[in-house]
Amino acid sequence: MLDCIAICAMDSVILLCKYHGESCRIRMFWDSKFLHLYEKLSSRWSSLKSAGVKLSYSLPGDPCCLIQNDEDLEIMLDMMFKPGCHEISVSIIDCGSSSSGSTTYGCSRTNEVLSSFRREWSLDVDTEVDLMPSFCDHRDTVLLSAGWRDLIKEIGQKFVGVVEFREALSKFAIYFGFEYDFIKNDKERVSAACRMKQSDLACPWMVHGRVDHLSGNFYIRQLTNSHTCGASVLKLKHSRATSSLVGKLVIEDILSQPLKRPVDVTSDLKRLYGVSISYTRAWMGVEKAKADAFGDYSTSFDDLRWWVDAVRKSNPESVFDIEYDVDTNRFSRLFVAFHACTSGFTHCRPILFLDGTFLKARHKGCLLAALAKDGLFLVCFAIVDSESKDNRYWFLAKLRTILGNDGHSLAICDGNESNGMVLSLLNTVGDDRNVVFISDRNEGILDGVAKNFPLSPHAYCLYHLKQNLRHALTGIKGGFREYLIHLFGMAAYAPNEGSFNEQIAKLKGYGIKKVEDFLTNAPKDHWACAFFPGKWYGEMSSSLSESFNSWIREERHFPVTQLVDRIRVKIMEQLSARHEASLKWNQTCKSWTTSKSSADVYEIHCDPSVSVDIAKRTCSSGQWQFKGFPCCHAVCAIFNSKKQLNLYVDPYFYVSTYREVYSKSIFSIPTLWKPAAVVNDDTILPPLSRKPPGRPRKKWIRSNGPLKCSRCGKIARHNKKTCTEDLRISGS
């Protein structure tokens, strides 16, 4: 018989043990195991064998509680700190001996002692923890692919169709890092087995399932979900990470970021899913995601017919024209002019910016646009298969049909007396709206404007002219070259002929032949304020066209139907927002501080002095004629003449005119009942486009204007290498 008395310490219990007249102390920690107690007892008394010792203790109402494992020992130690329990009687019986005895564990209890016991302070040598990994602690990252591990679980698992099962099987294999081959793979049955082998033995993993004909669901019928090939590590590269799977993983990102790059997709998949793919596969995945999100690129051209019919019903006075080759059914061009835009242009300043931008979708093409100067106001646009001279002429011919051969007369009268005086003044001055065009001297635009609008002034973009001059002066030192370009800009802004000739004389005074040739090929009545026959309204460059290209930067990457419809939505929102904003404007005019003069012709005494003619709406500084808005000199003269300042402001700057610009709306096009795409012999096909050699350009290539062939001396789109002109030698 062995008798023990337990004494409680801070982190342990000391057992005073007696056996056959001998005694010893045994320390037991609060996290000691059942085996530890046996080992310490056996080390003290060799006659005790673990197979012949039985431990039990008694509690009130339960005289025999066996201690057979770690959980029983832990419960007994916990009972020593139970309130109201002061001692526990434990019996240790040597089954090989005829005698047995009992022992009392006595411990005093207080709440303070109970709260001071913490098992984390105890440490047994036999259960020591390896602390070396704590010096190289890695933060665990949960990948989005963690949920793929349970996609294939058990027999009887249901999938909505065989396609969903194949996708789940691919993700499951990617997560566990093994390859598989299809044994059967058709519309109803799918069987797959692990491809990997261990030595000459095939891995037993396999799965088989089939479609239930009643419900149409796919069920797993057989599954051996264990590997002997060692497939347990997530691999970065996997053959099942196809472009189709990539497209489904990134489709949500494409919806929010249509311009997401393939290189970003590769990094995102590696970081979020632990999968590494090539750039080509990422690009194909992005293209498939775009097709799923925004529609197919090829069938989108045939959808244009439905779109034109639908938008014509909701916007009946608008102009739409779609053309395609009747022999090949290849798309050619589409013209779009909403009535709200063409009607609003009649109240804008009569100036149009012409430009084109390339489309970035799969089938390329070009977008031609005509923009008015009122922030950014799109009058009309067209989608063409290429930026050819014929397409440019066709676009301007369509523009002529909506503008009319003659100018539009602008009348503003809402019963207000001042507006009636404005109309009377316009009738005396002349109210023809001879539209001014501004472009970058594209050959197709030059011919199209000259033939379709022979009476309209055509201005060349000053920014492009400066770039052309900079290109022509290649080889001249940078500082001097920029000085020559500055002199050219001064000549362009010169308000009268005298100041223009002065700047041109300085420019030609350096005797540079390249400058003289450039000026010869750029007629001054197309870029100089002193000789320009129309009214500039303060615009000397076509920067508005570049703003429009930036405005539709994302839309240029969409399929053609999505492109034109998203532009429609942008215009619709713009018209509505600006109309609401104009209703909040205050229509009262501001007071002006001026100085007095006399009659209709006034001299403003400043340095230098300026002459203002109110009746002719001219100022010797040229600013009134250039901007169409009274300059500070004209304001002084008008105020001192006791006349209303509003009468001498072009009506395009009136609040009421601005409201008229945005008074009409573009209506929405419901796509709820859009018919499904059907491919047949009458389907409009995308235009044939050839990918240019080399890497696609990302930066804008500035136009150098018309070229002059050094062989034939003509202004043309060829050089001496491609010149085919017949040169006749005199005297032959």
Side-chain angles (χ1 to χ4, degrees):
M1 183 181 65
L2 174 65
D3 296 333
C4 302
I5 299 177
I7 301 176
C8 297
M10 288 296 295
D11 58 351
S12 62
V13 173
I14 299 177
L15 300 180
L16 299 178
C17 304
K18 293 181 180 181
Y19 182 68
H20 293 300
E22 296 180 1
S23 63
C24 68
R25 293 178 175 86
I26 297 177
R27 181 183 296 274
M28 295 296 296
F29 294 95
W30 297 110
D31 60 349
S32 296
K33 304 299 181 184
F34 180 67
L35 182 60
H36 297 163
L37 177 58
Y38 267 129
E39 291 176 349
K40 291 185 179 182
L41 292 175
S42 299
S43 64
R44 295 295 183 182
W45 294 281
S46 58
S47 61
L48 290 176
K49 301 299 182 182
S50 59
V53 176
K54 183 179 180 181
L55 299 180
S56 66
Y57 65 95
S58 62
L59 293 174
D62 193 354
C64 184
C65 299
L66 295 179
I67 307 176
Q68 297 178 331
N69 49 43
D70 294 338
E71 184 178 1
D72 294 340
L73 179 61
E74 183 179 357
I75 292 174
M76 186 196 74
L77 296 176
D78 288 340
M79 294 299 296
M80 296 177 64
F81 295 93
K82 187 176 179 181
C85 183
H86 301 288
E87 61 180 22
I88 297 177
S89 177
V90 179
S91 298
I92 304 175
I93 304 174
D94 185 358
C95 297
S97 174
S98 60
S99 59
S100 62
S102 63
T103 278
T104 301
Y105 284 60
C107 301
S108 8
R109 306 285 191 278
T110 61
N111 292 333
E112 291 78 13
V113 173
L114 178 63
S115 62
S116 65
F117 277 86
R118 294 291 183 268
R119 293 190 178 184
E120 57 267 17
W121 294 104
S122 62
L123 180 63
D124 197 347
V125 176
D126 296 335
T127 60
E128 183 175 350
V129 181
D130 184 12
L131 299 178
M132 183 58 69
S134 63
F135 293 96
C136 186
D137 187 19
H138 293 286
R139 184 173 55 185
D140 293 335
T141 302
V142 179
L143 299 176
L144 295 181
S145 58
W148 297 353
R149 64 176 300 158
D150 296 326
L151 293 179
I152 305 295
K153 296 185 296 183
E154 57 191 0
I155 296 176
Q157 187 175 353
K158 183 181 72 172
F159 299 88
V160 183
V162 67
V163 176
E164 181 181 346
F165 171 74
R166 292 194 190 103
E167 181 181 340
L169 183 59
S170 298
K171 294 180 179 179
F172 181 79
I174 292 173
Y175 178 82
F176 285 101
F178 70 93
E179 299 284 351
Y180 63 88
D181 293 320
F182 285 112
I183 301 173
K184 294 180 181 179
N185 187 21
D186 53 38
K187 296 180 179 180
E188 294 185 356
R189 298 175 298 174
V190 175
S191 299
C194 182
R195 182 189 303 173
M196 300 183 183
K197 294 183 179 181
Q198 181 68 23
S199 297
D200 295 333
L201 299 177
C203 179
W205 187 94
M206 66 84 61
V207 64
H208 169 74
R210 64 183 304 140
V211 176
D212 181 67
H213 294 286
L214 296 177
S215 62
N217 296 324
F218 186 92
Y219 292 92
I220 296 179
R221 300 303 184 186
Q222 298 178 22
L223 176 62
T224 303
N225 202 6
S226 61
H227 289 273
T228 60
C229 58
S232 60
V233 180
L234 177 62
K235 298 179 180 179
L236 290 180
K237 292 186 178 180
H238 201 283
S239 62
R240 296 297 171 180
T242 61
S243 58
S244 299
L245 180 60
V246 172
K248 293 179 181 178
L249 294 177
V250 303
I251 187 171
E252 295 297 332
D253 294 338
I254 295 299
L255 287 171
S256 58
Q257 304 176 33
L259 302 186
K260 192 176 184 66
R261 303 179 303 168
V263 65
D264 296 330
V265 171
T266 57
S267 61
D268 289 348
L269 289 180
K270 187 174 182 180
R271 176 174 53 89
L272 300 176
Y273 293 91
V275 179
S276 178
I277 60 174
S278 63
Y279 179 88
T280 302
R281 187 169 294 184
W283 180 86
M284 295 177 62
V286 170
E287 290 297 309
K288 291 181 179 180
K290 289 181 179 179
D292 292 339
F294 309 121
D296 184 70
Y297 286 88
S298 299
T299 60
S300 179
F301 287 90
D302 190 64
D303 291 339
L304 283 176
R305 289 192 288 191
W306 169 86
W307 185 86
V308 168
D309 292 338
V311 75
R312 185 179 285 121
K313 292 178 181 178
S314 58
N315 300 269
E317 298 184 53
S318 302
V319 178
F320 306 99
D321 188 12
I322 182 172
E323 296 183 6
Y324 60 94
D325 192 328
V326 294
D327 296 329
T328 62
N329 279 356
R330 295 286 176 182
F331 171 82
S332 297
R333 46 205 180 191
L334 168 70
F335 181 81
V336 178
F338 290 100
H339 176 66
C341 297
T342 56
S343 176
F345 176 65
T346 61
H347 304 279
C348 292
R349 284 164 278 180
I351 183 170
L352 281 177
F353 300 82
L354 304 176
D355 197 12
T357 181
F358 291 103
L359 303 181
K360 302 295 185 179
R362 181 181 303 173
H363 299 289
K364 309 307 177 186
C366 185
L367 188 148
L368 307 178
L371 303 161
K373 181 61 179 179
D374 194 273
L376 191 155
F377 189 84
L378 180 61
V379 178
C380 62
F381 67 95
I383 306 295
V384 295
D385 54 359
S386 63
E387 194 180 14
S388 62
K389 182 178 179 181
D390 180 61
N391 284 334
R392 288 279 191 182
Y393 182 86
W394 171 83
F395 175 69
L396 290 172
K398 290 293 182 181
L399 179 62
R400 182 187 61 188
T401 60
I402 63 175
L403 296 183
N405 295 327
D406 301 327
H408 295 278
S409 297
L410 175 64
I412 304 176
C413 185
D414 57 357
N416 190 300
E417 181 181 359
S418 60
N419 283 340
M421 296 176 67
V422 171
L423 181 60
S424 175
L425 182 61
L426 285 176
N427 290 332
T428 58
V429 175
D431 59 354
D432 59 313
R433 279 174 51 90
N434 209 5
V435 179
V436 174
F437 294 92
I438 298 181
S439 70
D440 59 355
R441 288 200 303 170
N442 181 279
E443 183 180 7
I445 296 179
L446 292 177
D447 295 341
V449 172
K451 294 179 181 179
N452 289 287
F453 302 94
L455 302 180
S456 296
H458 188 183
Y460 298 159
C461 172
L462 182 60
Y463 176 79
H464 283 82
L465 288 177
K466 288 183 177 181
Q467 294 299 117
N468 300 157
L469 181 58
R470 182 176 285 106
H471 178 77
L473 298 179
T474 302
I476 299 178
K477 292 184 178 180
F480 181 59
R481 180 176 60 181
E482 294 303 319
Y483 174 70
L484 295 177
I485 296 173
H486 171 71
L487 291 178
F488 176 75
M490 293 292 291
Y493 278 100
N496 50 62
E497 185 176 352
S499 57
F500 173 83
N501 293 333
E502 181 182 353
Q503 299 298 328
I504 290 296
K506 292 181 181 179
L507 186 59
K508 293 182 177 181
Y510 295 97
I512 301 176
K513 187 176 183 304
K514 293 181 179 179
V515 174
E516 295 181 358
D517 292 342
F518 176 80
L519 294 176
T520 302
N521 296 328
K524 59 186 178 181
D525 57 337
H526 289 283
W527 56 271
C529 288
F531 299 93
F532 188 69
K535 187 175 292 186
W536 291 89
Y537 291 98
E539 300 298 326
M540 294 284 285
S541 66
S542 60
S543 58
L544 188 66
S545 300
E546 302 307 321
S547 300
F548 173 72
N549 295 341
S550 178
W551 192 53
I552 61 169
R553 177 172 173 265
E554 290 188 357
E555 284 72 16
R556 294 161 62 189
H557 295 260
F558 286 95
V560 61
T561 303
Q562 282 279 333
L563 165 66
V564 296
D565 194 59
R566 284 175 176 264
I567 293 178
R568 175 193 64 83
V569 173
K570 275 181 171 283
I571 303 174
M572 180 176 64
E573 294 175 346
Q574 182 193 63
L575 295 177
S576 177
R578 291 184 176 178
H579 177 70
E580 292 179 1
S582 65
L583 297 178
K584 302 177 182 179
W585 290 353
N586 189 356
Q587 300 188 53
T588 59
C589 300
K590 296 181 179 179
S591 58
W592 297 82
T593 303
T594 61
S595 58
K596 185 178 179 180
S597 186
S598 60
D600 287 338
V601 179
Y602 298 86
E603 181 179 1
I604 309 302
H605 297 282
C606 54
D607 189 14
S609 60
V610 178
S611 177
V612 176
D613 190 334
I614 296 179
K616 296 181 179 180
R617 299 190 177 193
T618 60
C619 176
S620 59
S621 67
Q623 297 183 47
W624 195 354
Q625 303 92 296
F626 177 64
K627 297 181 179 179
F629 194 89
C631 59
C632 58
H633 314 109
V635 170
C636 294
I638 295 171
F639 181 81
N640 284 276
S641 66
K642 306 300 183 182
K643 297 179 180 179
Q644 293 188 20
L645 180 63
N646 292 347
L647 301 181
Y648 297 92
V649 177
D650 280 11
Y652 308 118
F653 300 100
Y654 276 43
V655 173
S656 57
T657 306
Y658 185 90
R659 289 175 178 171
E660 287 295 326
V661 173
Y662 300 101
S663 61
K664 299 186 181 300
S665 303
I666 296 178
F667 300 98
S668 60
I669 306 174
T671 60
L672 180 62
W673 304 114
K674 177 183 176 182
V678 178
V679 180
N680 50 41
D681 296 338
D682 192 38
T683 301
I684 298 180
L685 303 176
L688 295 176
S689 59
R690 185 179 61 181
K691 181 181 178 182
R695 186 177 181 87
R697 296 182 179 270
K698 296 295 184 182
K699 294 184 178 180
W700 170 49
I701 303 176
R702 297 185 177 93
S703 171
N704 290 322
L707 302 177
K708 182 179 181 180
C709 178
S710 59
R711 178 175 177 268
C712 63
K714 295 182 179 180
I715 303 298
R717 303 297 292 182
H718 65 260
N719 53 25
K720 64 179 182 181
K721 292 184 179 181
T722 57
C723 181
T724 58
E725 294 291 331
D726 183 18
L727 301 180
R728 298 185 179 182
I729 303 176
S730 59
S732 59

